[in-house]
Amino acid sequence: MGGVLKLCSNSKCKKWEFHFKSCKNRHCPQCGAFEKAQWLEAQKKWILPIYYYHVVFTIDHVFNPLVAFNQKLLFNLFIETAAQLLKEFGRKYLGGEIGFSMVLHTWGQMIQDHLHLHFIVTGGALVSSPTGYSWNAASREYLFPVDLLSNQFRNRFCFEISKRWADGKLNTNDGALDVQAMLTEALSKDWEVYIQAPLYEKEKLIEYLGRYIFRIAISNHRIVAVGKDTVTFKYFDNRNKKGKQKKMLGKGKEKLMTLPAIEFIRRFLSHVLPDGFVRVRHFGLHHSSCRAKLQQARHVLGLPFELPAILKLKFLDWFKKITGSDEDPRICKFCGKGLMLPVREFGPVHGWRLKLISYLEVFASRRNAFA
């Protein structure tokens, strides 16, 4: 991606260093922190003075091989099926329009295939009547009947799979994948849909939703060792948790896993989404087409009718906030007086040019150390 050569503005220092440009890929484990902060700020427009539920839908792992060959089609089917059911349950049990937002996760703690959706759902619904609008709040301990929701989700998703299979829309790897056997096994099981009562502040739920918007599978801090042919990383074994309604924002017992390097890379890359696929989506009162209804919900809940203005973050202000320091992040780490300012850019480099840049980095660090 190229980079920038930066030079200290202090005439008595003049030390320099290379800074490589961010790749800006939404899957990169190092990019996207500022973009995520801006996204979280934008979510404030739909926040209401109510409690929110955390709902998780998971499809049976028997479909994992089929998903691998039909990612975009089955990702969309998964999201549409779960979202439609939530809308229907909102109308049936709360009598109106609920709001919810979701993010698709395709991985588990061990970077294995584990396809699930995280939803933030309003603890109540906007009810329309001939006399106007009102808000019907859900019980703090109960949103929807979870067993019924799980069964209907399983049955509807499997029905939609069978329809697409019959219509020849599924890639079965030249017939190697036995869709009928998958359907039979999936329908014989209880599926996992969790509804977590509002134990956390809505801001924490939104932060959880946004945690993997611009990154996937694993964070750098979880990698504890990289050997010649292996990678060792930390994970939390959530299977140690007890009870069906788990505390989904909690963590299980911390353990270590070592994988062959090739398998680690394979697992990581298996979670890269298809081009153009939208991982985060909004529905009901959270959707842009329902802004008028959202304003009505704000009004009946005692908020100003107009939606709040979204603050455009400034990078330096944001950086100082997360570091807890008022110091300019551009201040030279060598002299502590000048600013490290860009003086020259260089384009993407490959082959011997990349090695040359590496040598220059080493030279710069040694020069700066002994200057």
Side-chain angles (χ1 to χ4, degrees):
M1 299 302 296
V4 178
L5 175 64
K6 292 189 175 182
L7 182 69
C8 179
S9 60
N10 182 0
S11 59
K12 296 183 179 180
C13 177
K14 290 297 181 181
K15 289 186 171 61
W16 49 279
E17 57 186 5
F18 289 104
H19 287 265
F20 291 98
K21 293 181 179 178
S22 300
C23 71
K24 299 296 183 182
N25 189 293
R26 60 176 171 162
H27 304 99
C28 177
Q30 298 202 123
C31 294
F34 180 64
E35 289 81 359
K36 170 193 166 184
Q38 187 63 67
W39 181 88
L40 291 173
E41 185 68 27
Q43 304 320 298
K44 293 180 180 179
K45 62 179 175 290
W46 51 256
I47 292 180
L48 297 171
I50 59 172
Y51 47 81
Y52 287 79
Y53 279 84
H54 183 194
V55 181
V56 179
F57 286 78
T58 305
I59 65 170
D60 194 275
H61 289 185
V62 71
F63 289 118
N64 285 349
L66 191 64
V67 171
F69 283 91
N70 302 270
Q71 282 192 323
K72 186 171 286 190
L73 188 152
L74 293 188
F75 287 167
N76 282 320
L77 175 61
F78 184 19
I79 293 169
E80 291 162 6
T81 304
Q84 186 58 39
L85 276 171
L86 283 177
K87 288 181 181 179
E88 293 174 9
F89 272 58
R91 296 188 186 104
K92 181 177 180 179
Y93 293 98
L94 294 173
E97 187 89 49
I98 62 173
F100 52 102
S101 299
M102 53 93 7
V103 61
L104 169 71
H105 284 189
T106 63
W107 61 89
Q109 279 283 312
M110 294 177 284
I111 331 180
Q112 80 280 21
D113 292 332
H114 178 52
L115 191 60
H116 57 292
L117 300 173
H118 289 275
F119 286 90
I120 293 178
V121 183
T122 54
L126 180 68
V127 181
S128 175
S129 69
T131 58
Y133 288 96
S134 61
W135 183 261
N136 183 22
S139 164
R140 193 175 179 86
E141 290 77 32
Y142 180 84
L143 182 63
F144 303 134
V146 67
D147 289 337
L148 180 61
L149 182 60
S150 300
N151 290 338
Q152 289 196 15
F153 172 63
R154 176 198 62 195
N155 295 341
R156 190 173 298 187
F157 185 82
C158 289
F159 174 72
E160 295 296 336
I161 287 283
S162 64
K163 269 179 53 178
R164 283 155 179 77
W165 179 44
D167 293 340
K169 295 181 179 179
L170 293 178
N171 179 356
T172 60
N173 191 20
D174 296 326
L177 300 178
D178 190 341
V179 180
Q180 185 57 59
M182 293 179 185
L183 289 168
T184 301
E185 181 178 343
L187 286 167
S188 69
K189 302 176 182 178
D190 292 330
W191 281 30
E192 295 183 8
V193 175
Y194 292 121
I195 300 179
Q196 184 182 43
L199 303 176
Y200 304 92
E201 295 296 327
K202 57 181 77 74
E203 290 77 14
K204 186 172 182 179
L205 281 175
I206 296 171
E207 170 67 26
Y208 185 79
L209 196 72
R211 188 176 299 172
Y212 295 109
I213 288 175
F214 296 99
R215 303 178 184 187
I216 60 167
I218 190 169
S219 301
N220 283 346
H221 75 273
R222 286 177 54 198
I223 300 175
V224 297
V226 178
K228 181 180 179 182
D229 300 306
T230 61
V231 178
T232 301
F233 60 92
K234 296 182 291 187
Y235 73 97
F236 291 98
D237 189 353
N238 294 321
R239 293 172 298 182
N240 287 359
K241 294 181 182 179
K242 297 180 180 180
K244 187 174 182 182
Q245 291 294 329
K246 303 173 185 177
K247 292 185 178 181
M248 289 169 288
L249 298 191
K251 296 178 180 179
K253 183 178 180 180
E254 184 175 277
K255 297 182 178 180
L256 293 178
M257 171 173 281
T258 299
L259 292 176
I262 295 299
E263 172 61 14
F264 178 86
I265 294 170
R266 185 201 67 78
R267 290 194 187 192
F268 181 85
L269 293 180
S270 70
H271 303 295
V272 173
L273 295 174
D275 288 344
F277 184 83
V278 181
R279 185 206 303 275
V280 182
R281 305 186 189 184
H282 305 280
F283 302 88
L285 296 177
H286 293 181
H287 194 269
S288 58
S289 64
C290 288
R291 287 294 176 261
K293 289 184 178 180
L294 178 61
Q295 289 177 304
Q296 292 291 349
R298 289 174 57 84
H299 179 68
V300 299
L301 289 169
L303 292 179
F305 189 78
E306 293 300 322
L307 299 181
I310 301 306
L311 176 67
K312 185 70 174 178
L313 298 182
K314 296 180 179 179
F315 179 79
L316 284 180
D317 293 339
W318 168 79
F319 190 86
K320 290 177 181 179
K321 182 178 179 180
I322 65 169
T323 57
S325 171
D326 289 330
E327 189 175 84
D328 193 321
R330 299 171 297 170
I331 289 180
C332 176
K333 64 184 179 183
F334 302 103
C335 68
K337 297 179 180 179
L339 298 180
M340 297 299 286
L341 301 176
V343 293
R344 181 171 298 179
E345 292 192 14
F346 56 89
V349 289
H350 309 280
W352 66 268
R353 293 179 179 84
L354 184 59
K355 288 186 177 180
L356 177 59
I357 291 292
S358 299
Y359 292 146
L360 287 172
E361 279 192 294
V362 173
F363 172 74
S365 64
R366 291 178 177 174
R367 173 185 175 275
N368 291 336
F370 292 103

